[in-house]
Amino acid sequence: MASAGRRQRRKEERPGEIVEAAFEEFARSGFAATKLDDVAARAGITKGTIYLYFPSKEDLFLATVREMNRPSQENLAALTAAPQGPAMAILRSHFAFVYEQMVEDRRAREILRMLMAEVSRFPDLAERWRVEVIGPAVEALRRVVRYGIERGEFRPSAAEEFPHLLFAPVMMACTWRMMFGDDHALDRAAYLAGHLDLMERGLVRGPGEGE
Amino acid sequence: MASAGRRQRRKEERPGEIVEAAFEEFARSGFAATKLDDVAARAGITKGTIYLYFPSKEDLFLATVREMNRPSQENLAALTAAPQGPAMAILRSHFAFVYEQMVEDRRAREILRMLMAEVSRFPDLAERWRVEVIGPAVEALRRVVRYGIERGEFRPSAAEEFPHLLFAPVMMACTWRMMFGDDHALDRAAYLAGHLDLMERGLVRGPGEGE
DNA sequence: TACTAATAACTGACCAGGCAGTCAATAAGG
DNA sequence: CCTTATTGACTGCCTGGTCAGTTATTAGTA
């Protein structure tokens, strides 16, 4: 504390601190408008130091997006467990979790925004994200739907081919909040409940249906 | 044609041509990375001419977004007509139309991308878009749902409070295509059919339900 | 413990290139 | 030949990237 503001050598912590600061600036201004001097200032260092750890602005951006994506990738593992019990219960807890991750967590929203905004400059980034994050997530959802159909709980439906349809309201809430800000955010609990209600009606077998 | 490449005076057409070119460039690169020289080149003029019609780069951007939004606003009028017949039929034709507008039309997607990418730089733009375009659209959808409930076709559901839930799959398809490109686009007909199917199940009254 | 030397993390002043915005000169068109 | 839409060369600022120099830190020495 006494040395706050003084110059310090912190080889281990620097990269993380820089990425953290870079994330805030990139999220605020986008790739092109972000100034490395601002990133440095936010990290409490100078621009030169950034170049000790990252070869260029582009590399810093890539490192930032990848770093911020790590939690999502780690969370995916939990979804690959063998399903048990009612499929609808799985979906309920799954989506409660996903809302927490994507809609409530500002970082996840900003990452999405950055990816959308910079696809044309970094095409590989979007493709990588599709293959490593979104693809598996869609697949996991599809597995739950299949499981529900197999155990007779769900009727066959388009949700098997397009699990996107189930996930869509999450995306909607996410983009909504990211466009219009926290002030106009949709009421989380009511929205989630509504989402699950409509989903359930759409998926489950009717009384006299099938089998 | 004979004078192609020569300097020409075209006071009337210029603004439109410039906005058209600006749209392409802004869509490709975002606000900050777009060069006015490129916009001018695309419009077949020089940068100086742009400044005859628009006071600054920011103004050009604003004008571009507003101009590109005009069709959406005009289309809104059609949705305010008094509903007739089965509510589900209205929703079917409505969404078929919306898919055409938002998912198939590249321009609509790019506008959405631009708005999302540049909210922090142009906060007024998002707010205006919410009030003038999105708000009325949500309201129109809500009216149809209410109509369906009133005539006993639909059960009361969260779709009345959150028409967003119905619209979400459109948003999903839109962002999906804009992130991953036309190659990975979801099959339009099948996706739309699935969307409508799940929606119908979610909205309509069950056999022994209510009333 | 105190002093010195060696190491390398960090700085900040510095380019070089790029781009928004300007304006005197030019030429299209009536 | 007069008006004015258009040009294109110009300016000044900004910012990514560099690098010689500075200083925190550690290892070695007495």
Side-chain angles (χ1 to χ4, degrees):
Chain A
M1 290 303 136
S3 66
R6 309 291 289 308
R7 171 201 270 196
Q8 279 190 348
R9 302 177 61 175
R10 322 182 59 205
K11 189 179 183 185
E12 301 302 322
E13 295 86 350
R14 282 289 184 239
E17 293 171 359
I18 293 171
V19 162
E20 177 64 31
F23 169 75
E24 295 297 339
E25 293 297 322
F26 283 137
R28 178 199 311 274
S29 320
F31 177 79
T34 289
K35 300 171 235 181
L36 290 189
D37 277 318
D38 288 351
V39 174
R42 182 181 282 270
I45 54 177
T46 51
K47 193 167 56 176
T49 304
I50 294 177
Y51 282 89
L52 293 179
Y53 298 96
F54 302 93
S56 73
K57 190 184 182 184
E58 288 208 357
D59 284 274
L60 175 58
F61 183 79
L62 291 170
T64 302
V65 174
R66 291 205 189 106
E67 175 61 26
M68 295 295 148
N69 257 330
R70 241 178 35 191
S72 325
Q73 280 173 291
E74 285 165 3
N75 284 329
L76 270 182
L79 300 180
T80 57
Q84 283 185 344
M88 197 53 212
I90 300 175
L91 290 181
R92 280 182 187 282
S93 67
H94 173 68
F95 277 106
F97 174 74
V98 169
Y99 271 93
E100 198 68 48
Q101 288 290 309
M102 281 201 61
V103 184
E104 295 301 309
D105 181 16
R106 181 180 138 267
R107 288 173 172 248
R109 275 180 274 139
E110 298 295 356
I111 285 290
L112 181 63
R113 186 212 304 284
M114 282 158 68
L115 285 168
M116 291 185 69
E118 314 290 353
V119 228
S120 57
R121 190 189 298 261
F122 303 96
D124 299 350
L125 212 53
E127 179 59 13
R128 189 181 165 137
W129 190 61
R130 191 181 67 79
V131 172
E132 294 181 7
V133 180
I134 298 302
V138 169
E139 217 42 58
L141 210 48
R142 179 174 287 132
R143 233 170 300 138
V144 178
V145 174
R146 286 229 174 91
Y147 165 75
I149 295 173
E150 277 161 18
R151 81 198 290 269
E153 182 181 348
F154 293 162
R155 67 184 178 112
S157 75
E160 192 180 351
E161 186 183 356
F162 301 115
H164 314 71
L165 291 166
L166 305 184
F167 183 74
V170 181
M171 196 72 169
M172 172 58 116
C174 186
T175 51
W176 187 273
R177 188 156 182 182
M178 138 172 141
M179 289 238 37
F180 306 132
D182 296 352
D183 293 346
H184 293 96
L186 305 164
D187 177 70
R188 161 124 159 276
Y191 185 86
L192 170 58
H195 174 192
L196 290 170
D197 175 50
L198 286 175
M199 190 195 306
E200 180 164 15
R201 293 279 288 219
L203 289 177
V204 299
R205 271 208 336 222
E209 224 172 18
E211 209 69 4
Chain B
M1 286 301 138
S3 66
R6 306 295 284 313
R7 173 200 271 197
Q8 277 191 350
R9 302 176 62 172
R10 323 181 58 204
K11 189 180 183 184
E12 301 302 321
E13 296 85 348
R14 283 289 184 239
E17 294 171 359
I18 293 171
V19 161
E20 177 65 30
F23 168 75
E24 295 296 338
E25 293 297 321
F26 283 136
R28 179 201 309 275
S29 319
F31 177 79
T34 289
K35 299 171 234 181
L36 290 188
D37 277 318
D38 288 351
V39 173
R42 182 181 283 271
I45 56 177
T46 53
K47 192 168 56 175
T49 304
I50 294 178
Y51 283 89
L52 293 179
Y53 298 96
F54 302 92
S56 73
K57 190 183 180 185
E58 288 207 358
D59 285 274
L60 175 58
F61 183 79
L62 292 169
T64 302
V65 173
R66 292 207 190 105
E67 175 60 26
M68 293 298 146
N69 257 330
R70 241 178 36 192
S72 324
Q73 282 174 286
E74 285 165 4
N75 284 328
L76 272 182
L79 300 180
T80 57
Q84 284 187 342
M88 196 55 213
I90 301 175
L91 290 181
R92 282 183 185 283
S93 68
H94 174 68
F95 277 106
F97 174 74
V98 169
Y99 271 94
E100 199 68 48
Q101 288 289 310
M102 283 202 57
V103 185
E104 296 300 309
D105 181 16
R106 179 181 138 271
R107 286 171 172 248
R109 276 180 274 140
E110 298 295 356
I111 285 291
L112 182 63
R113 189 213 302 285
M114 282 158 67
L115 284 169
M116 292 186 68
E118 315 288 354
V119 225
S120 55
R121 189 187 298 262
F122 304 97
D124 299 349
L125 211 53
E127 179 58 13
R128 188 182 167 136
W129 190 63
R130 190 181 67 81
V131 172
E132 295 182 4
V133 180
I134 297 301
V138 168
E139 217 42 58
L141 210 46
R142 177 174 287 132
R143 233 170 301 139
V144 177
V145 173
R146 286 227 175 91
Y147 166 74
I149 295 173
E150 277 162 18
R151 79 197 294 267
E153 181 182 348
F154 294 162
R155 67 183 179 115
S157 74
E160 193 181 351
E161 186 183 356
F162 301 115
H164 314 70
L165 291 166
L166 305 183
F167 184 73
V170 181
M171 195 73 168
M172 172 58 118
C174 187
T175 51
W176 187 274
R177 187 154 181 185
M178 134 175 144
M179 289 240 34
F180 306 133
D182 297 351
D183 294 348
H184 293 97
L186 305 164
D187 177 70
R188 160 125 160 276
Y191 185 86
L192 170 58
H195 175 192
L196 291 170
D197 175 51
L198 286 174
M199 190 196 306
E200 181 163 17
R201 293 282 286 220
L203 290 178
V204 299
R205 274 212 332 228
E209 225 171 15
E211 210 69 7

